[in-house]
Amino acid sequence: MKVFQYVNIVTCDQDFHVYLDGILAVKESQIVYVGQENQEILKQADQIIDYQGAWIIPGLVNCHTHSAMTGLRGIRDDSNLHEWLEDYIWPAEAEFTPEMTTKAVKEALTEMLQSGTTTFNDMYNPNGVDIAEIYEAVKVSKMRCYFSPTLFSSDVESTAETIARTRAIIETIKGYQDPDFKVMVAPHSPYSCSRDLLEASLELAKEENIPLHIHVAETQEESGIILKRYGKRPLAFLDELGYLDHKAIFAHGVELNEAEITRLADSQVAIAHNPISNLKLASGIAPVVQLQQAGVAVGIATDSVASNNNLDMFEEGRTAALLQKMKNGDASQFPIETALKALTIEGAKVLGMADEIGSLEVGKQADFLVIQPQGKIHLQPQENMLSHLVYAVKSSDVNDVYIAGEQVVKDGQVLTVNL
Amino acid sequence: MKVFQYVNIVTCDQDFHVYLDGILAVKESQIVYVGQENQEILKQADQIIDYQGAWIIPGLVNCHTHSAMTGLRGIRDDSNLHEWLEDYIWPAEAEFTPEMTTKAVKEALTEMLQSGTTTFNDMYNPNGVDIAEIYEAVKVSKMRCYFSPTLFSSDVESTAETIARTRAIIETIKGYQDPDFKVMVAPHSPYSCSRDLLEASLELAKEENIPLHIHVAETQEESGIILKRYGKRPLAFLDELGYLDHKAIFAHGVELNEAEITRLADSQVAIAHNPISNLKLASGIAPVVQLQQAGVAVGIATDSVASNNNLDMFEEGRTAALLQKMKNGDASQFPIETALKALTIEGAKVLGMADEIGSLEVGKQADFLVIQPQGKIHLQPQENMLSHLVYAVKSSDVNDVYIAGEQVVKDGQVLTVNL
């Protein structure tokens, strides 16, 4: 048993316990004690790590990204979503090779680990991806990953062919029998998939008993396209297809009205909120406070670096908090506790992993990050830890990261990815 | 003459020249050459510094902050402006001592320098400030500073007393005869100063021939207060007093309508835009694109760490760019070039210092920062320097900083402030 002592722990558990000058005990991959100093626990320790007043919070959960696009950072800025996708992103992705995407994924793993992210939900354009290589890179990194091969409608492949290809990927991933490398079915969006492909995607997800992962209600333009094509707004259209009755992650959810939020509350859908990408592509601000009040789970996400342009979850969580205050005209909205939970336990709920990760509690996996505030001028005065964790901290402040009790980042250096 | 070679230089000059693999030559405090490699210049060098592909941009200009409040980081989050000011900030400031404020200013100088800021416009609550000590700290740090003692109406001091006290501070600062330590007259805001004090402040600024610095049009609530008190909106009220015909910096400018923007364009007023503070206090988003289109100079600013909660100008500039895209529903608004200029030359224009600083041009002061992208995973691929400088860079990426040709930060360590 390893015990981390002289630590200030933000558990992000149900009651949001905070332990000042506490200890965290880890046996193999699990947390066996979290709380104030306890001599019994210290006596049982095989190893005691003195963190000298450092701050510990759960590993961050990035609910929606595209790690294979990391090589596209800076490809095209200052464009709206549809122009950006059609004229820049999709043509670039068509040129992807397995060498490129594996390299990009390794870079993304490095950037995510360095900034305290331990679990991510990844969506992949089908082209140029060697799933075995990516699995190997993720496995070696120790990160927990949901991998979603993306389905598009195109002139070069029929719905049946797309489904068959996706089914093969799912079988490959299931074959790994790795509980930390999971799979979802990811039709790209209501506008880029035919009704036929959307229906077949849902069928596949049901057959395989895995979640759906799809971009929904990202822009007004999307609503216009779907309204014109099907006579309904995106949410109603997907509801008609049955998407709201299957476990699903809808990325974005910017363009949602009150009735749609009410409908989501009574569905199996969770939202991955991408505040920076939604600003950068001029999409808007998701109604996160209203979604949360209605009872919809909302996690934080970076989207890809092509529309962000980094994988910094601290910046993302801070931006989410700041935007909700402004949007609602009320600075008390999305307070510190909400922001810290959105980065951790709420993200775990969105991914259906809240029994294992997302908070520091006995029995859960020991996924956490360590920030040493000493000597960092922007984290003074140190007493206001919770405030600083949301509003002042930078991803470069993350000193150490642990996943399942194993150290994966030491003094800002990633130990588990070979670039 | 010192020459910096193998550098990629973003000049932020009128034509936004960018020199890849260029050189920058500095003689004493001034830039004597900027451009592509030049054998003549290299021959004349006393010292050649090889920066191995680093990025160089002008030092950042923070147009509105309150460095003495740096000890209040995290004092009260998640509150709207007026509650935050009246219940937390003003009572805390009333307890300030010179020891506290000098320490806070030194911490702010350190944080600003580390993150690439070389010039700042500072506003001070009158209590607990030893101007000689602060002058000494700023002088030693080498930073360029506009110091604005704040004027408030209160029960304990008459207008004449407040003006006399402020005049004494101005005389002290003028006595330093230091062109890098300037002074403005800073009535706090239309709502916290009587008409009498606002009029007397303008008279003082005219007499002394120095600019005004004031919080204006920050919130809807302010507009309501001024409308009720004077029957006019804040801008019209200040216009009536003559504020728009004297060189002035209006901090915030969130609540400005079309007619007010038109009026500002024909005034001597510049705007200090504080995007993060305006979000955090739920004030709103300033109409920056409209102000710029009308021809109003707009600089970027952090406000104090009590409402931010850091002094990171890169994060501030990125937030400004992201918000303007979303607010205008057009991702092409506030593009990269605009963002980099807003952080540098536009800030210099706001402060009336554009002849000296804000761009890297022959004859200007050699104020610049150096970022080495090598080995920084979130700055890859390196080719997209301009994109990364706005959308991906973190303040912790600043390696070195120079002011007037003198190195003040080396490998992230501040050389000129003793905390």
Side-chain angles (χ1 to χ4, degrees), chain A residues 25 74 123 145 181 184 231 235 237 295 314 328 370 374 378:
Chain A
M123 194 193 273
C145 174
F181 193 77
M184 295 194 198
L235 200 81
F237 169 58
F314 280 110
N328 292 284
V370 182
Q374 304 283 0
H378 60 286

Side-chain angles (χ1 to χ4, degrees), chain A residues 25-33 361-366 404-405:
Chain A
V26 176
K27 194 166 183 179
E28 288 163 8
S29 70
Q30 277 190 331
I31 296 168
V32 293
Y33 180 85
E361 295 181 77
V362 172
K364 282 203 176 181
Q365 292 288 296

Side-chain angles (χ1 to χ4, degrees), chain A residues 78 80 315 318 325 331 391, chain B residues 78 80 315 318 325 331 391:
Chain A
D78 310 328
N80 292 7
E315 190 170 331
R318 172 157 61 245
K325 293 172 190 307
Y391 294 120
Chain B
D78 310 328
N80 292 6
E315 191 171 330
R318 172 157 61 245
K325 294 172 190 307
Y391 294 119

Side-chain angles (χ1 to χ4, degrees), chain B residues 7-13 16-20 34 54-59 336-337 340-341 344 358-361 368-369 385-386 389:
Chain B
V7 289
N8 301 301
I9 306 165
V10 183
T11 61
C12 294
D13 67 6
F16 204 73
H17 281 107
V18 174
Y19 300 106
L20 300 180
V34 55
W55 304 341
I56 288 187
I57 68 172
I336 288 170
E337 184 179 318
L340 287 170
K341 283 185 164 181
T344 56
S359 61
L360 301 176
E361 296 181 77
F368 59 93
L369 63 91
M385 172 176 64
L386 295 178
L389 283 169

Side-chain angles (χ1 to χ4, degrees), chain A residues 339-357:
Chain A
L340 287 170
K341 283 185 164 182
L343 288 167
T344 57
I345 187 65
E346 294 302 316
K349 283 182 194 165
V350 167
L351 301 187
M353 296 169 79
D355 291 340
E356 289 172 81
I357 62 159

Side-chain angles (χ1 to χ4, degrees), chain A residues 363-381:
Chain A
K364 282 203 176 181
Q365 292 288 296
D367 292 8
F368 59 93
L369 64 91
V370 182
I371 290 174
Q372 178 50 263
Q374 304 283 0
K376 290 174 184 156
I377 197 80
H378 60 286
L379 300 183
Q380 312 308 322

Side-chain angles (χ1 to χ4, degrees), chain B residues 342-363:
Chain B
L343 288 167
T344 56
I345 187 66
E346 294 301 316
K349 283 183 194 165
V350 167
L351 301 187
M353 298 170 78
D355 291 341
E356 290 173 81
I357 60 158
S359 61
L360 301 176
E361 296 181 77
V362 171

